[in-house]
Amino acid sequence: MELHRQAEEFKARGVALLKEGKIEEARRLLLIAAEKFEKAAEFSEGIAKELRLKEAEWCRRLAEGKELSVSPKAVGAVREEASEVSVGGEAKVEREEEGEFARIKQYIRENLMVRAKEKLPSWDEIGGLEDVKKLLKKAYVIGAIEKKPPAVSSWNAILLYGPPGTGKTMLAAAVARSLDAAFFDVKVSQLLSKYYGETPKIISALFEVAREEAPSVIFIDEFDAIALSRSGDLDEETRRALSTLLAEMDGLSSKSSPFVLVIAATNTPEALDKAILSRFGRKIEIPLPDYEACKEIIRIHTEKKGIPLEDESLYDELARYCVERKMSGRDIKFMCIEAIWNMIEEMNPGLERLAEEPYERIREYELKTRALKKEDFDLLTSLK
């Protein structure tokens, strides 16, 4: 963390000098701060890395005079750091850590949180999985109801497991849309940091923001990357991260806690830590789509988006093909996208020449389309 602390120190001193009108010296220190933030970012991952790169960019913009024109409060506020440059010892360290925690929370709000319902998928956009949808709907309904007997426990944490590409993220997002809740789409790699003590801090910040924005749904993908069995050879930082995660999940069961639902996803549930597994009130398998689900997924990505198949029997043929080859929902989506592109290229020859036209001319061009034929899928499926 030494590089990061040095960067913060140079940044604060640079801002203090800007306040005093010592522009050239301030710029020199801010550029040093930017370099140190960038160096610290090289040894970071996920949210920690992105935060340090943003700090570096901010310092460079301030040194060049750009940040002042963008944000009039940039120098005056500077997260109140500059006014505390001379604060010594423990008070200074505590204030630095508070500032860093606040920045992590702000990053989470700006980059991992989706609040607008229209940006999230609806249940109708997910093909098949009807039983899973019912289970999830019951889970959040019971969780959201305040007046219920003590014997009725809600599921504050749900584990979705199964092959990749089967719709786990979309299911979690659909839950958030139904609740009109804040949706936090998080990959474990974004939470991890090589710096000692930083991963637990990021996890705590995530849950704190979720509570502040409640109702909330936290979706954690790649869950096995942080919750592997503790019987294995784990480093101390990973153990601390696991302990923090357990504590935060336990806190969700408190009656006074705002409504926050954790939905985690993994491809390997058998590898998860048993203590973590016990925190999930419900574990739901998300299988590969069956025949009927494959047909529905094909319709979602073709007919329901304005490009139908020319023959109803083609839906059946493609669905059988998808089942035989054990294709996931994601695979089927890409198959449909490729088929549509094949059709577009046939119906709009020389489309690339439009790139030489003015932007407004491109905007006015109307793509020629038609219903999809079997031949559009032949490049991918070799259907005969």
Side-chain angles (χ1 to χ4, degrees), residues 92-145:
K92 180 180 178 182
V93 171
E94 182 179 346
R95 193 169 182 86
E96 285 177 349
E97 292 192 352
E98 287 177 0
E100 184 180 7
F101 191 74
R103 287 193 291 278
I104 293 172
K105 288 174 61 178
Q106 185 62 27
Y107 178 89
I108 289 169
R109 277 194 171 89
E110 293 177 354
N111 297 276
L112 303 183
M113 186 180 82
V114 178
R115 193 74 186 181
K117 287 179 66 173
E118 61 272 13
K119 293 183 179 180
L120 298 173
S122 66
W123 296 113
D124 293 338
E125 295 175 63
I126 303 172
L129 301 174
E130 296 306 319
D131 290 341
V132 173
K133 293 176 189 176
K134 288 179 183 178
L135 273 174
L136 288 173
K137 289 175 183 178
K138 289 176 185 176
Y140 72 71
V141 165
I142 292 294
I145 293 174

Side-chain angles (χ1 to χ4, degrees), residues 134-311:
K134 288 179 183 178
L135 273 174
L136 288 173
K137 289 175 183 178
K138 289 176 185 176
Y140 72 71
V141 165
I142 292 294
I145 293 174
E146 290 189 8
K147 296 179 180 179
K148 51 181 178 278
V152 179
S153 59
S154 57
W155 301 330
N156 303 108
I158 298 171
L159 180 69
L160 305 180
Y161 65 93
T166 49
K168 294 184 282 291
T169 305
M170 290 188 70
L171 286 164
V175 169
R177 178 177 176 134
S178 295
L179 284 168
D180 196 13
F183 180 60
F184 297 84
D185 188 359
V186 183
K187 287 182 171 57
V188 164
S189 56
Q190 294 173 303
L191 302 176
L192 300 177
S193 172
K194 293 178 181 178
Y195 283 104
Y196 181 79
E198 197 159 50
T199 297
K201 190 182 299 182
I202 292 170
I203 293 171
S204 294
L206 170 64
F207 277 81
E208 185 166 316
V209 173
R211 287 190 292 268
E212 291 171 356
E213 298 290 337
S216 300
V217 175
I218 300 175
F219 176 69
I220 307 178
D221 203 2
E222 307 170 348
F223 195 65
D224 43 291
I226 196 172
L228 291 174
S229 173
R230 283 183 282 188
S231 61
D233 184 21
L234 297 182
D235 57 52
E236 182 60 28
E237 184 70 356
T238 303
R239 291 180 185 277
R240 284 164 56 87
L242 271 172
S243 297
T244 303
L245 188 58
L246 285 169
E248 292 291 352
M249 291 177 71
D250 287 343
L252 299 180
S253 60
S254 169
K255 289 186 178 180
S256 60
S257 179
F259 181 80
V260 177
L261 176 63
V262 174
I263 301 178
T266 179
N267 304 328
T268 55
E270 66 281 356
L272 297 186
D273 180 78
K274 290 182 179 179
I276 288 284
L277 274 175
S278 69
R279 264 59 176 194
F280 290 96
R282 193 80 192 195
K283 306 166 190 67
I284 305 174
E285 182 179 8
I286 313 298
L288 290 169
D290 59 17
Y291 171 76
E292 290 298 330
C294 286
K295 281 182 67 174
E296 182 60 23
I297 294 170
I298 293 168
R299 288 188 190 278
I300 286 171
H301 295 295
T302 57
E303 182 181 319
K304 292 186 178 180
K305 293 187 177 180
I307 307 290
L309 273 58
E310 69 168 0
D311 189 336

